Amino acid sequence: DLYQPGRYTEAETEASAAVRSRPRAETDVPLALTVAALSIGAQGRHTEALAAYDEALPVFGRTLGADHRQTLKLRSDRAQRLAALGRYAECEAECAAVVRAATCGTAPEMRLVAAAAGNGVVFALDAQRRHGDAEALAREASAALGEPDRLGLALRLGLARGLDGRVRVEEALTEAARADALHRGPPSEQRGQKVGPGSVELVAATALLGLRRDTEARVRTGSAHDACLASFGPLHHRTVEARALLDRLDGA
């Protein structure tokens, strides 16, 4: 309840207190460890968040098992911290391993775990400038996911990044616009189609900059930076990305 509206400091405090107050064998400890790690990462303290995930993984393995969907999801979330720290090849390898493991699972939720990890691979590929591979995987993962939801929207943004990296900027902007329409749609039509603050704006701004529509790009980047700063603080990787794009647009 504290984490969802962005009260990350409070969520971290409560989750950490819950971990300390319970024996590690209790089944609710993995949830508390997850909320603590997510909250630390959302505040931009990525090195600490990675350490929190490393602490949580053995507990998940003992309590739930290595192949449980929540253990695999934790590995996928941990890999996102690797990406935030610039360790893109490690992120790619870990997310790809999670995709393989989740694909072998039979639980219906495994499809979502595989899609989330696949999105991590797409992001890591784009960050390594392997945009063709990122585009292909984003299209494949989106098709496998089916009906759009938050993960589908994230994959669409990954596709837009890949297209932009291949200098197919008009296509990138089209994908960003589609993502924006889903993101901003009425609550009755969203079906969970929300991504983190600033995500859509940053992708759209990058495409606009590629089309030399600098004024529009500046507006979208400013909105992204304000949203990220308010939600995550100055150290979060998305806030840093928005700040760097603002500096580029302003000629700093």
Side-chain angles (χ1 to χ4, degrees), residues 4-251:
Q4 291 297 335
R7 296 166 61 182
Y8 302 124
T9 302
E10 296 170 81
E12 177 193 352
T13 299
E14 289 295 330
S16 298
V19 171
R20 290 192 300 270
S21 67
R22 289 166 170 78
R24 287 302 173 97
E26 288 195 10
T27 55
D28 56 353
V29 168
L31 175 59
L33 287 167
T34 297
V35 175
L38 285 169
S39 300
I40 294 168
Q43 295 171 73
R45 292 154 45 205
H46 302 303
T47 300
E48 291 178 60
L50 183 61
Y53 281 113
D54 287 341
E55 178 186 359
L57 268 175
V59 179
F60 272 63
R62 290 193 302 268
T63 306
L64 301 173
D67 295 324
H68 192 278
R69 62 180 178 82
Q70 291 186 26
T71 305
L72 294 176
K73 181 183 182 302
L74 188 78
R75 289 176 59 188
S76 178
D77 290 344
R78 175 185 176 275
Q80 309 303 314
R81 295 309 101 206
L82 291 171
L85 291 167
R87 295 162 61 177
Y88 302 119
E90 294 173 73
C91 172
E92 177 194 352
E94 179 66 350
C95 285
V98 171
V99 170
R100 290 192 296 271
T103 302
C104 293
T106 57
E109 298 87 350
M110 285 294 193
R111 181 178 65 92
L112 298 178
V113 174
N119 183 59
V121 176
V122 171
F123 184 87
L125 289 171
D126 273 327
Q128 295 173 83
R129 302 185 183 278
R130 293 160 56 192
H131 301 298
D133 293 337
E135 178 193 348
L137 181 58
R139 293 188 186 280
E140 178 186 343
S142 294
L145 192 59
E147 185 175 349
D149 59 6
R150 183 181 63 82
L151 286 172
L153 180 51
L155 286 165
R156 188 177 291 279
L157 292 176
L159 173 59
R161 285 180 182 268
L163 291 168
D164 188 82
R166 301 185 74 186
V167 203
R168 291 160 57 186
V169 187
E170 290 281 4
E171 294 175 73
L173 186 58
T174 297
E175 290 296 336
R178 289 172 179 165
D180 197 20
L182 290 171
H183 185 69
R184 296 175 183 272
S188 61
E189 298 178 5
Q190 284 176 2
R191 296 186 298 277
Q193 297 166 12
K194 284 285 188 181
V195 289
S199 299
V200 176
E201 289 80 2
L202 274 174
V203 173
T206 303
L208 288 166
L209 180 60
L211 292 170
R212 299 184 179 179
R213 293 162 60 178
D214 293 8
T215 301
E216 295 170 80
R218 179 63 174 77
V219 171
R220 298 302 294 269
T221 306
S223 296
H225 183 261
D226 290 346
C228 293
L229 192 62
S231 297
F232 303 127
L235 300 178
H236 192 271
H237 66 92
R238 199 175 300 146
T239 312
V240 172
E241 181 183 357
R243 181 71 259 170
L245 190 55
L246 274 179
D247 290 343
R248 178 181 171 189
L249 285 161
D250 292 341

